[in-house]
PDB file of all heavy atoms in Angstrom:
ATOM      1  N   ALA A  57      78.717  55.925  71.986  1.00  0.00           N
ATOM      2  CA  ALA A  57      78.861  55.109  70.775  1.00  0.00           C
ATOM      3  C   ALA A  57      77.483  54.710  70.256  1.00  0.00           C
ATOM      4  O   ALA A  57      76.525  54.690  71.003  1.00  0.00           O
ATOM      5  CB  ALA A  57      79.700  53.880  71.116  1.00  0.00           C
ATOM      6  N   VAL A  58      77.412  54.360  68.993  1.00  0.00           N
ATOM      7  CA  VAL A  58      76.242  53.656  68.462  1.00  0.00           C
ATOM      8  C   VAL A  58      76.558  52.170  68.564  1.00  0.00           C
ATOM      9  O   VAL A  58      77.589  51.714  68.108  1.00  0.00           O
ATOM     10  CB  VAL A  58      76.022  54.030  66.985  1.00  0.00           C
ATOM     11  CG1 VAL A  58      74.899  53.219  66.405  1.00  0.00           C
ATOM     12  CG2 VAL A  58      75.698  55.529  66.865  1.00  0.00           C
ATOM     13  N   SER A  59      75.692  51.411  69.181  1.00  0.00           N
ATOM     14  CA  SER A  59      75.931  50.003  69.406  1.00  0.00           C
ATOM     15  C   SER A  59      74.721  49.164  69.128  1.00  0.00           C
ATOM     16  O   SER A  59      73.585  49.532  69.470  1.00  0.00           O
ATOM     17  CB  SER A  59      76.381  49.719  70.879  1.00  0.00           C
ATOM     18  OG  SER A  59      76.615  48.382  71.126  1.00  0.00           O
ATOM     19  N   MET A  60      74.898  47.998  68.522  1.00  0.00           N
ATOM     20  CA  MET A  60      73.872  46.970  68.494  1.00  0.00           C
ATOM     21  C   MET A  60      73.417  46.743  69.932  1.00  0.00           C
ATOM     22  O   MET A  60      74.258  46.764  70.822  1.00  0.00           O
ATOM     23  CB  MET A  60      74.406  45.660  67.918  1.00  0.00           C
ATOM     24  CG  MET A  60      74.585  45.591  66.458  1.00  0.00           C
ATOM     25  SD  MET A  60      74.969  43.856  66.050  1.00  0.00           S
ATOM     26  CE  MET A  60      75.701  44.047  64.424  1.00  0.00           C
ATOM     27  N   GLY A  61      72.147  46.415  70.119  1.00  0.00           N
ATOM     28  CA  GLY A  61      71.653  46.105  71.456  1.00  0.00           C
ATOM     29  C   GLY A  61      71.726  44.623  71.745  1.00  0.00           C
ATOM     30  O   GLY A  61      72.092  43.815  70.892  1.00  0.00           O
ATOM     31  N   ILE A  62      71.389  44.302  73.013  1.00  0.00           N
ATOM     32  CA  ILE A  62      71.379  42.890  73.376  1.00  0.00           C
ATOM     33  C   ILE A  62      70.387  42.071  72.555  1.00  0.00           C
ATOM     34  O   ILE A  62      70.720  40.947  72.114  1.00  0.00           O
ATOM     35  CB  ILE A  62      71.049  42.770  74.901  1.00  0.00           C
ATOM     36  CG1 ILE A  62      72.043  43.546  75.747  1.00  0.00           C
ATOM     37  CG2 ILE A  62      70.995  41.254  75.307  1.00  0.00           C
ATOM     38  CD1 ILE A  62      73.396  42.952  75.794  1.00  0.00           C
ATOM     39  N   GLN A  63      69.236  42.615  72.301  1.00  0.00           N
ATOM     40  CA  GLN A  63      68.240  41.934  71.462  1.00  0.00           C
ATOM     41  C   GLN A  63      68.822  41.623  70.087  1.00  0.00           C
ATOM     42  O   GLN A  63      68.610  40.578  69.508  1.00  0.00           O
ATOM     43  CB  GLN A  63      66.971  42.704  71.391  1.00  0.00           C
ATOM     44  CG  GLN A  63      65.890  42.014  70.563  1.00  0.00           C
ATOM     45  CD  GLN A  63      64.587  42.840  70.560  1.00  0.00           C
ATOM     46  OE1 GLN A  63      64.010  43.122  71.605  1.00  0.00           O
ATOM     47  NE2 GLN A  63      64.130  43.265  69.378  1.00  0.00           N
ATOM     48  N   THR A  64      69.482  42.640  69.494  1.00  0.00           N
ATOM     49  CA  THR A  64      70.084  42.482  68.198  1.00  0.00           C
ATOM     50  C   THR A  64      71.131  41.364  68.167  1.00  0.00           C
ATOM     51  O   THR A  64      71.116  40.515  67.313  1.00  0.00           O
ATOM     52  CB  THR A  64      70.746  43.832  67.761  1.00  0.00           C
ATOM     53  OG1 THR A  64      69.897  44.898  68.089  1.00  0.00           O
ATOM     54  CG2 THR A  64      71.062  43.804  66.279  1.00  0.00           C
ATOM     55  N   ILE A  65      71.980  41.354  69.215  1.00  0.00           N
ATOM     56  CA  ILE A  65      73.041  40.339  69.295  1.00  0.00           C
ATOM     57  C   ILE A  65      72.409  38.951  69.497  1.00  0.00           C
ATOM     58  O   ILE A  65      72.816  37.995  68.843  1.00  0.00           O
ATOM     59  CB  ILE A  65      73.957  40.687  70.482  1.00  0.00           C
ATOM     60  CG1 ILE A  65      74.794  41.925  70.110  1.00  0.00           C
ATOM     61  CG2 ILE A  65      74.883  39.477  70.774  1.00  0.00           C
ATOM     62  CD1 ILE A  65      75.557  42.508  71.299  1.00  0.00           C
ATOM     63  N   LEU A  66      71.369  38.881  70.343  1.00  0.00           N
ATOM     64  CA  LEU A  66      70.785  37.566  70.572  1.00  0.00           C
ATOM     65  C   LEU A  66      70.032  37.062  69.363  1.00  0.00           C
ATOM     66  O   LEU A  66      69.709  35.860  69.268  1.00  0.00           O
ATOM     67  CB  LEU A  66      69.803  37.685  71.788  1.00  0.00           C
ATOM     68  CG  LEU A  66      70.457  37.845  73.196  1.00  0.00           C
ATOM     69  CD1 LEU A  66      69.408  38.074  74.243  1.00  0.00           C
ATOM     70  CD2 LEU A  66      71.345  36.632  73.537  1.00  0.00           C
ATOM     71  N   GLY A  67      69.787  37.930  68.396  1.00  0.00           N
ATOM     72  CA  GLY A  67      69.078  37.529  67.183  1.00  0.00           C
ATOM     73  C   GLY A  67      69.995  36.789  66.232  1.00  0.00           C
ATOM     74  O   GLY A  67      69.533  36.152  65.274  1.00  0.00           O
ATOM     75  N   ALA A  68      71.335  36.769  66.497  1.00  0.00           N
ATOM     76  CA  ALA A  68      72.265  36.053  65.667  1.00  0.00           C
ATOM     77  C   ALA A  68      72.041  34.564  65.790  1.00  0.00           C
ATOM     78  O   ALA A  68      71.738  34.080  66.892  1.00  0.00           O
ATOM     79  CB  ALA A  68      73.685  36.395  65.993  1.00  0.00           C
ATOM     80  N   LYS A  69      72.230  33.785  64.713  1.00  0.00           N
ATOM     81  CA  LYS A  69      71.990  32.332  64.791  1.00  0.00           C
ATOM     82  C   LYS A  69      73.069  31.642  65.582  1.00  0.00           C
ATOM     83  O   LYS A  69      72.806  30.668  66.317  1.00  0.00           O
ATOM     84  CB  LYS A  69      71.952  31.788  63.363  1.00  0.00           C
ATOM     85  CG  LYS A  69      70.774  32.342  62.523  1.00  0.00           C
ATOM     86  CD  LYS A  69      70.881  31.853  61.079  1.00  0.00           C
ATOM     87  CE  LYS A  69      69.717  32.484  60.249  1.00  0.00           C
ATOM     88  NZ  LYS A  69      69.928  33.916  60.012  1.00  0.00           N
ATOM     89  N   LYS A  70      74.299  32.123  65.445  1.00  0.00           N
ATOM     90  CA  LYS A  70      75.418  31.579  66.217  1.00  0.00           C
ATOM     91  C   LYS A  70      76.232  32.738  66.829  1.00  0.00           C
ATOM     92  O   LYS A  70      76.327  33.828  66.202  1.00  0.00           O
ATOM     93  CB  LYS A  70      76.372  30.703  65.336  1.00  0.00           C
ATOM     94  CG  LYS A  70      75.726  29.471  64.733  1.00  0.00           C
ATOM     95  CD  LYS A  70      76.760  28.750  63.885  1.00  0.00           C
ATOM     96  CE  LYS A  70      76.158  27.539  63.157  1.00  0.00           C
ATOM     97  NZ  LYS A  70      77.130  26.884  62.313  1.00  0.00           N
ATOM     98  N   ILE A  71      76.854  32.543  67.948  1.00  0.00           N
ATOM     99  CA  ILE A  71      77.669  33.570  68.605  1.00  0.00           C
ATOM    100  C   ILE A  71      78.984  32.945  68.994  1.00  0.00           C
ATOM    101  O   ILE A  71      79.031  31.819  69.555  1.00  0.00           O
ATOM    102  CB  ILE A  71      76.966  34.165  69.794  1.00  0.00           C
ATOM    103  CG1 ILE A  71      75.710  34.940  69.356  1.00  0.00           C
ATOM    104  CG2 ILE A  71      77.905  35.088  70.585  1.00  0.00           C
ATOM    105  CD1 ILE A  71      74.847  35.385  70.532  1.00  0.00           C
ATOM    106  N   ILE A  72      80.090  33.645  68.737  1.00  0.00           N
ATOM    107  CA  ILE A  72      81.409  33.294  69.222  1.00  0.00           C
ATOM    108  C   ILE A  72      81.903  34.380  70.070  1.00  0.00           C
ATOM    109  O   ILE A  72      81.997  35.558  69.631  1.00  0.00           O
ATOM    110  CB  ILE A  72      82.397  33.025  68.064  1.00  0.00           C
ATOM    111  CG1 ILE A  72      81.983  31.947  67.130  1.00  0.00           C
ATOM    112  CG2 ILE A  72      83.771  32.708  68.614  1.00  0.00           C
ATOM    113  CD1 ILE A  72      82.843  31.826  65.902  1.00  0.00           C
ATOM    114  N   LEU A  73      82.189  34.148  71.345  1.00  0.00           N
ATOM    115  CA  LEU A  73      82.763  35.175  72.234  1.00  0.00           C
ATOM    116  C   LEU A  73      84.173  34.819  72.570  1.00  0.00           C
ATOM    117  O   LEU A  73      84.514  33.678  72.947  1.00  0.00           O
ATOM    118  CB  LEU A  73      81.951  35.296  73.512  1.00  0.00           C
ATOM    119  CG  LEU A  73      82.375  36.409  74.426  1.00  0.00           C
ATOM    120  CD1 LEU A  73      81.154  37.108  75.081  1.00  0.00           C
ATOM    121  CD2 LEU A  73      83.312  35.938  75.549  1.00  0.00           C
ATOM    122  N   LEU A  74      85.052  35.816  72.444  1.00  0.00           N
ATOM    123  CA  LEU A  74      86.511  35.625  72.700  1.00  0.00           C
ATOM    124  C   LEU A  74      86.953  36.405  73.886  1.00  0.00           C
ATOM    125  O   LEU A  74      86.530  37.602  74.069  1.00  0.00           O
ATOM    126  CB  LEU A  74      87.307  36.104  71.446  1.00  0.00           C
ATOM    127  CG  LEU A  74      86.856  35.575  70.098  1.00  0.00           C
ATOM    128  CD1 LEU A  74      87.711  36.198  68.997  1.00  0.00           C
ATOM    129  CD2 LEU A  74      86.874  34.096  70.040  1.00  0.00           C
ATOM    130  N   ALA A  75      87.820  35.800  74.721  1.00  0.00           N
ATOM    131  CA  ALA A  75      88.348  36.520  75.855  1.00  0.00           C
ATOM    132  C   ALA A  75      89.766  36.045  76.100  1.00  0.00           C
ATOM    133  O   ALA A  75      90.072  34.853  76.088  1.00  0.00           O
ATOM    134  CB  ALA A  75      87.503  36.249  77.119  1.00  0.00           C
ATOM    135  N   SER A  76      90.654  37.023  76.310  1.00  0.00           N
ATOM    136  CA  SER A  76      92.061  36.722  76.541  1.00  0.00           C
ATOM    137  C   SER A  76      92.662  37.502  77.648  1.00  0.00           C
ATOM    138  O   SER A  76      92.360  38.712  77.787  1.00  0.00           O
ATOM    139  CB  SER A  76      92.869  36.968  75.181  1.00  0.00           C
ATOM    140  OG  SER A  76      94.220  36.819  75.377  1.00  0.00           O
ATOM    141  N   GLY A  77      93.449  36.880  78.476  1.00  0.00           N
ATOM    142  CA  GLY A  77      94.158  37.576  79.518  1.00  0.00           C
ATOM    143  C   GLY A  77      93.507  37.593  80.883  1.00  0.00           C
ATOM    144  O   GLY A  77      92.292  37.394  81.024  1.00  0.00           O
ATOM    145  N   LYS A  78      94.376  37.799  81.886  1.00  0.00           N
ATOM    146  CA  LYS A  78      93.905  37.745  83.287  1.00  0.00           C
ATOM    147  C   LYS A  78      92.872  38.781  83.595  1.00  0.00           C
ATOM    148  O   LYS A  78      91.982  38.586  84.400  1.00  0.00           O
ATOM    149  CB  LYS A  78      95.142  37.944  84.196  1.00  0.00           C
ATOM    150  CG  LYS A  78      94.945  37.590  85.635  1.00  0.00           C
ATOM    151  CD  LYS A  78      95.061  36.104  85.895  1.00  0.00           C
ATOM    152  CE  LYS A  78      95.133  35.782  87.338  1.00  0.00           C
ATOM    153  NZ  LYS A  78      95.217  34.298  87.579  1.00  0.00           N
ATOM    154  N   ALA A  79      92.982  39.946  82.939  1.00  0.00           N
ATOM    155  CA  ALA A  79      92.040  41.029  83.202  1.00  0.00           C
ATOM    156  C   ALA A  79      90.614  40.690  82.888  1.00  0.00           C
ATOM    157  O   ALA A  79      89.688  41.332  83.388  1.00  0.00           O
ATOM    158  CB  ALA A  79      92.494  42.295  82.450  1.00  0.00           C
ATOM    159  N   LYS A  80      90.408  39.679  82.038  1.00  0.00           N
ATOM    160  CA  LYS A  80      89.029  39.290  81.614  1.00  0.00           C
ATOM    161  C   LYS A  80      88.529  38.129  82.437  1.00  0.00           C
ATOM    162  O   LYS A  80      87.339  37.705  82.260  1.00  0.00           O
ATOM    163  CB  LYS A  80      89.050  38.955  80.142  1.00  0.00           C
ATOM    164  CG  LYS A  80      89.455  40.055  79.170  1.00  0.00           C
ATOM    165  CD  LYS A  80      88.443  41.201  79.237  1.00  0.00           C
ATOM    166  CE  LYS A  80      88.894  42.385  78.371  1.00  0.00           C
ATOM    167  NZ  LYS A  80      88.793  42.074  76.943  1.00  0.00           N
ATOM    168  N   ALA A  81      89.307  37.581  83.366  1.00  0.00           N
ATOM    169  CA  ALA A  81      88.942  36.365  84.070  1.00  0.00           C
ATOM    170  C   ALA A  81      87.651  36.531  84.893  1.00  0.00           C
ATOM    171  O   ALA A  81      86.813  35.668  84.863  1.00  0.00           O
ATOM    172  CB  ALA A  81      90.107  35.922  84.996  1.00  0.00           C
ATOM    173  N   GLU A  82      87.540  37.635  85.610  1.00  0.00           N
ATOM    174  CA  GLU A  82      86.358  37.820  86.454  1.00  0.00           C
ATOM    175  C   GLU A  82      85.079  38.000  85.581  1.00  0.00           C
ATOM    176  O   GLU A  82      83.999  37.499  85.984  1.00  0.00           O
ATOM    177  CB  GLU A  82      86.560  39.033  87.379  1.00  0.00           C
ATOM    178  CG  GLU A  82      85.486  39.141  88.469  1.00  0.00           C
ATOM    179  CD  GLU A  82      85.285  37.893  89.330  1.00  0.00           C
ATOM    180  OE1 GLU A  82      86.295  37.278  89.679  1.00  0.00           O
ATOM    181  OE2 GLU A  82      84.127  37.532  89.551  1.00  0.00           O
ATOM    182  N   ALA A  83      85.187  38.732  84.498  1.00  0.00           N
ATOM    183  CA  ALA A  83      84.059  38.911  83.598  1.00  0.00           C
ATOM    184  C   ALA A  83      83.631  37.577  83.020  1.00  0.00           C
ATOM    185  O   ALA A  83      82.424  37.316  82.891  1.00  0.00           O
ATOM    186  CB  ALA A  83      84.421  39.940  82.505  1.00  0.00           C
ATOM    187  N   VAL A  84      84.604  36.755  82.631  1.00  0.00           N
ATOM    188  CA  VAL A  84      84.290  35.406  82.109  1.00  0.00           C
ATOM    189  C   VAL A  84      83.616  34.542  83.160  1.00  0.00           C
ATOM    190  O   VAL A  84      82.579  33.864  82.875  1.00  0.00           O
ATOM    191  CB  VAL A  84      85.558  34.736  81.573  1.00  0.00           C
ATOM    192  CG1 VAL A  84      85.326  33.267  81.270  1.00  0.00           C
ATOM    193  CG2 VAL A  84      86.104  35.460  80.338  1.00  0.00           C
ATOM    194  N   HIS A  85      84.116  34.657  84.359  1.00  0.00           N
ATOM    195  CA  HIS A  85      83.466  33.905  85.461  1.00  0.00           C
ATOM    196  C   HIS A  85      82.025  34.335  85.660  1.00  0.00           C
ATOM    197  O   HIS A  85      81.096  33.531  85.769  1.00  0.00           O
ATOM    198  CB  HIS A  85      84.265  34.097  86.775  1.00  0.00           C
ATOM    199  CG  HIS A  85      83.509  33.811  87.996  1.00  0.00           C
ATOM    200  ND1 HIS A  85      83.163  32.541  88.387  1.00  0.00           N
ATOM    201  CD2 HIS A  85      83.001  34.594  88.955  1.00  0.00           C
ATOM    202  CE1 HIS A  85      82.464  32.533  89.489  1.00  0.00           C
ATOM    203  NE2 HIS A  85      82.348  33.802  89.885  1.00  0.00           N
ATOM    204  N   SER A  86      81.807  35.644  85.668  1.00  0.00           N
ATOM    205  CA  SER A  86      80.436  36.164  85.905  1.00  0.00           C
ATOM    206  C   SER A  86      79.533  35.773  84.756  1.00  0.00           C
ATOM    207  O   SER A  86      78.295  35.468  84.956  1.00  0.00           O
ATOM    208  CB  SER A  86      80.480  37.674  86.053  1.00  0.00           C
ATOM    209  OG  SER A  86      81.202  38.039  87.185  1.00  0.00           O
ATOM    210  N   MET A  87      80.032  35.778  83.538  1.00  0.00           N
ATOM    211  CA  MET A  87      79.263  35.453  82.349  1.00  0.00           C
ATOM    212  C   MET A  87      78.804  33.978  82.398  1.00  0.00           C
ATOM    213  O   MET A  87      77.642  33.634  82.147  1.00  0.00           O
ATOM    214  CB  MET A  87      80.065  35.726  81.065  1.00  0.00           C
ATOM    215  CG  MET A  87      79.427  35.168  79.820  1.00  0.00           C
ATOM    216  SD  MET A  87      80.404  35.463  78.350  1.00  0.00           S
ATOM    217  CE  MET A  87      81.893  34.536  78.702  1.00  0.00           C
ATOM    218  N   LEU A  88      79.749  33.087  82.710  1.00  0.00           N
ATOM    219  CA  LEU A  88      79.454  31.657  82.642  1.00  0.00           C
ATOM    220  C   LEU A  88      78.875  31.066  83.898  1.00  0.00           C
ATOM    221  O   LEU A  88      78.061  30.156  83.852  1.00  0.00           O
ATOM    222  CB  LEU A  88      80.762  30.926  82.260  1.00  0.00           C
ATOM    223  CG  LEU A  88      81.325  31.099  80.867  1.00  0.00           C
ATOM    224  CD1 LEU A  88      82.651  30.506  80.715  1.00  0.00           C
ATOM    225  CD2 LEU A  88      80.319  30.534  79.850  1.00  0.00           C
ATOM    226  N   GLU A  89      79.311  31.566  85.049  1.00  0.00           N
ATOM    227  CA  GLU A  89      78.903  30.965  86.315  1.00  0.00           C
ATOM    228  C   GLU A  89      77.996  31.831  87.171  1.00  0.00           C
ATOM    229  O   GLU A  89      77.477  31.327  88.195  1.00  0.00           O
ATOM    230  CB  GLU A  89      80.194  30.582  87.114  1.00  0.00           C
ATOM    231  CG  GLU A  89      81.071  29.593  86.389  1.00  0.00           C
ATOM    232  CD  GLU A  89      82.258  29.114  87.198  1.00  0.00           C
ATOM    233  OE1 GLU A  89      82.757  29.888  88.013  1.00  0.00           O
ATOM    234  OE2 GLU A  89      82.702  27.980  86.946  1.00  0.00           O
ATOM    235  N   GLY A  90      77.829  33.063  86.801  1.00  0.00           N
ATOM    236  CA  GLY A  90      76.937  33.954  87.572  1.00  0.00           C
ATOM    237  C   GLY A  90      75.495  33.815  87.066  1.00  0.00           C
ATOM    238  O   GLY A  90      75.197  33.127  86.091  1.00  0.00           O
ATOM    239  N   LYS A  91      74.636  34.555  87.738  1.00  0.00           N
ATOM    240  CA  LYS A  91      73.230  34.588  87.278  1.00  0.00           C
ATOM    241  C   LYS A  91      73.074  35.534  86.071  1.00  0.00           C
ATOM    242  O   LYS A  91      73.892  36.399  85.839  1.00  0.00           O
ATOM    243  CB  LYS A  91      72.297  35.055  88.456  1.00  0.00           C
ATOM    244  CG  LYS A  91      72.578  36.460  88.879  1.00  0.00           C
ATOM    245  CD  LYS A  91      71.620  36.930  89.995  1.00  0.00           C
ATOM    246  CE  LYS A  91      71.838  38.379  90.420  1.00  0.00           C
ATOM    247  NZ  LYS A  91      70.905  38.775  91.469  1.00  0.00           N
ATOM    248  N   MET A  92      72.036  35.308  85.344  1.00  0.00           N
ATOM    249  CA  MET A  92      71.687  36.151  84.228  1.00  0.00           C
ATOM    250  C   MET A  92      71.216  37.540  84.797  1.00  0.00           C
ATOM    251  O   MET A  92      70.193  37.558  85.542  1.00  0.00           O
ATOM    252  CB  MET A  92      70.631  35.582  83.290  1.00  0.00           C
ATOM    253  CG  MET A  92      71.139  34.630  82.306  1.00  0.00           C
ATOM    254  SD  MET A  92      69.984  34.395  80.905  1.00  0.00           S
ATOM    255  CE  MET A  92      68.518  33.874  81.788  1.00  0.00           C
ATOM    256  N   THR A  93      71.895  38.594  84.451  1.00  0.00           N
ATOM    257  CA  THR A  93      71.531  39.880  84.943  1.00  0.00           C
ATOM    258  C   THR A  93      72.064  40.995  84.031  1.00  0.00           C
ATOM    259  O   THR A  93      73.139  40.845  83.455  1.00  0.00           O
ATOM    260  CB  THR A  93      72.146  40.102  86.380  1.00  0.00           C
ATOM    261  OG1 THR A  93      71.942  41.503  86.759  1.00  0.00           O
ATOM    262  CG2 THR A  93      73.628  39.842  86.421  1.00  0.00           C
ATOM    263  N   PRO A  94      71.233  42.062  83.843  1.00  0.00           N
ATOM    264  CA  PRO A  94      71.712  43.163  83.033  1.00  0.00           C
ATOM    265  C   PRO A  94      72.965  43.810  83.608  1.00  0.00           C
ATOM    266  O   PRO A  94      73.640  44.530  82.890  1.00  0.00           O
ATOM    267  CB  PRO A  94      70.513  44.130  83.038  1.00  0.00           C
ATOM    268  CG  PRO A  94      69.318  43.291  83.319  1.00  0.00           C
ATOM    269  CD  PRO A  94      69.850  42.186  84.250  1.00  0.00           C
ATOM    270  N   ASP A  95      73.271  43.581  84.858  1.00  0.00           N
ATOM    271  CA  ASP A  95      74.449  44.164  85.461  1.00  0.00           C
ATOM    272  C   ASP A  95      75.721  43.551  84.868  1.00  0.00           C
ATOM    273  O   ASP A  95      76.788  44.154  84.939  1.00  0.00           O
ATOM    274  CB  ASP A  95      74.491  43.934  86.981  1.00  0.00           C
ATOM    275  CG  ASP A  95      73.346  44.670  87.708  1.00  0.00           C
ATOM    276  OD1 ASP A  95      72.934  45.694  87.166  1.00  0.00           O
ATOM    277  OD2 ASP A  95      72.949  44.244  88.772  1.00  0.00           O
ATOM    278  N   VAL A  96      75.587  42.340  84.288  1.00  0.00           N
ATOM    279  CA  VAL A  96      76.676  41.704  83.537  1.00  0.00           C
ATOM    280  C   VAL A  96      76.099  41.381  82.196  1.00  0.00           C
ATOM    281  O   VAL A  96      75.586  40.254  81.947  1.00  0.00           O
ATOM    282  CB  VAL A  96      77.220  40.461  84.240  1.00  0.00           C
ATOM    283  CG1 VAL A  96      78.405  39.842  83.432  1.00  0.00           C
ATOM    284  CG2 VAL A  96      77.628  40.741  85.668  1.00  0.00           C
ATOM    285  N   PRO A  97      76.076  42.293  81.227  1.00  0.00           N
ATOM    286  CA  PRO A  97      75.366  42.082  79.975  1.00  0.00           C
ATOM    287  C   PRO A  97      75.761  40.775  79.260  1.00  0.00           C
ATOM    288  O   PRO A  97      74.880  40.105  78.664  1.00  0.00           O
ATOM    289  CB  PRO A  97      75.768  43.311  79.109  1.00  0.00           C
ATOM    290  CG  PRO A  97      75.970  44.405  80.163  1.00  0.00           C
ATOM    291  CD  PRO A  97      76.605  43.687  81.309  1.00  0.00           C
TER     292      PRO A  97
END
């Protein structure tokens, strides 16, 4: 795919991230409570 990069996304003035469902629970946990790492973009 062609995708905006992390730098491009971080350049936005505001960000809204949406997550729904049990399948996203671990990713949400890692995003909010884990360390900053490229392994979890």
Side-chain angles (χ1 to χ4, degrees):
V58 175
S59 178
M60 286 188 197
I62 301 292
Q63 180 177 303
T64 317
I65 291 168
L66 290 175
K69 298 175 183 69
K70 298 179 183 178
I71 294 173
I72 300 173
L73 184 140
L74 312 177
S76 174
K78 195 81 169 179
K80 299 295 178 70
E82 189 54 43
V84 169
H85 161 70
S86 297
M87 170 181 64
L88 290 171
E89 299 185 332
K91 65 179 182 179
M92 276 199 304
T93 171
D95 294 335
V96 182

